[in-house]
Amino acid sequence: KNEVEQSPQNLTAQEGEFITINCSYSVGISALHWLQQHPGGGIVSLFMLSSGKKKHGRLIATINIQEKHSSLHITASHPRDSAVYICAVTGNQFYFGTGTSLTVIP
Amino acid sequence: ETGVTQSPTHLIKTRGQQVTLRCSSQSGHNTVSWYQQALGQGPQFIFQYYREEENGRGNFPPRFSGLQFPNYSSELNVNALELDDSALYLCASSLRVSGGTTSTDTQYFGPGTRLTVL
């Protein structure tokens, strides 16, 4: 069993749709990270959070420590949002989810 | 653009060979972490170096070793390559302040080195 589970694995949306990606984890953590990986491998750190909610542009990340659950929301999705979104947690080491592949269709 | 660079970008080796991958951290960063990402999988933590000392290790055998240099650049060495070592290898640098922990680090990822073992 993976320490970090993401859903859905794949997601296709129409431009403008509101998107939610979910992450559940089973280990004790100090922080949770949302990462964006584009084709070719480059990874960008979107958020690091340990409680509550963070917002950056059209991206919103929330975490519920009691439920060991986090969500990444994208409002007014755009084709340039197409990427793999990875949830990772830091406990005694880094644990990564397998990613959610998002395709936004114009 | 994260300021973290890796070399080479692509590499092909044969089983049993040894490989060295390099990472140049973002200026001022004192911590580097290495990850292995197999195709279709999330990254797996290999190890982390903080101020030239190994500071944590994932579930990887000893033939995976690393170095961090005084200028905080880093190497990942893999001996006796196996076919399953074929993957994208990512490094990420961060700045750990005195008294900080992994949880306080924002990671800046390099573009990765894609290793193919034949």
Side-chain angles (χ1 to χ4, degrees):
Chain A
K1 184 184 185 300
N2 292 333
E3 290 82 0
V4 181
E5 300 277 359
Q6 285 184 239
S7 63
Q9 279 190 302
N10 296 284
L11 183 56
T12 300
Q14 288 292 133
E15 183 174 355
E17 283 187 11
F18 179 84
I19 289 163
T20 296
I21 300 170
N22 294 299
C23 174
S24 296
Y25 53 92
S26 58
V27 294
I29 70 167
S30 302
L32 183 142
H33 306 251
W34 281 102
L35 310 170
Q36 181 192 56
Q37 185 171 32
H38 283 283
I43 290 182
V44 174
S45 179
L46 298 174
F47 294 104
M48 179 177 68
L49 64 165
S50 55
S51 65
K53 180 169 90 172
K54 285 190 176 180
K55 185 176 188 292
H56 181 70
R58 294 180 294 106
L59 302 178
I60 303 167
T62 64
I63 187 169
N64 185 318
I65 298 293
Q66 287 73 28
E67 295 186 3
K68 295 190 173 182
H69 181 268
S70 175
S71 293
L72 175 69
H73 306 285
I74 305 176
T75 61
S77 59
H78 190 277
R80 64 174 174 267
D81 298 327
S82 298
V84 175
Y85 292 84
I86 301 171
C87 171
V89 299
T90 48
N92 59 339
Q93 63 166 279
F94 284 92
Y95 299 97
F96 291 80
T98 54
T100 294
S101 179
L102 171 65
T103 303
V104 181
I105 300 171
Chain B
E1 192 67 39
T2 63
V4 180
T5 59
Q6 291 186 242
S7 63
T9 54
H10 295 84
L11 195 55
I12 299 174
K13 291 284 189 179
T14 56
R15 202 168 44 180
Q17 285 189 309
Q18 179 266 343
V19 69
T20 297
L21 310 182
R22 293 180 173 83
C23 173
S24 179
S25 300
Q26 189 179 106
S27 178
H29 282 185
N30 55 15
T31 305
V32 64
S33 304
W34 283 92
Y35 304 91
Q36 180 196 66
Q37 186 178 24
L39 198 61
Q41 302 294 315
Q44 297 286 320
F45 174 67
I46 303 175
F47 44 56
Q48 182 181 80
Y49 278 80
Y50 170 61
R51 293 186 173 177
E52 303 176 55
E53 297 285 333
E54 189 177 290
N55 186 49
R57 189 179 181 93
N59 189 27
F60 280 80
R63 59 189 185 84
F64 285 77
S65 63
L67 280 174
Q68 186 183 31
F69 299 100
N71 66 355
Y72 300 131
S73 65
S74 174
E75 287 182 353
L76 165 65
N77 298 288
V78 187
N79 294 321
L81 283 167
E82 300 177 0
L83 298 180
D84 285 349
D85 295 333
S86 295
L88 179 70
Y89 288 84
L90 297 157
C91 78
S93 75
S94 56
L95 174 63
R96 178 164 305 170
V97 298
S98 178
T101 66
T102 299
S103 66
T104 62
D105 298 346
T106 295
Q107 303 270 299
Y108 295 84
F109 285 83
T113 293
R114 187 162 297 282
L115 172 65
T116 302
V117 182
L118 303 176

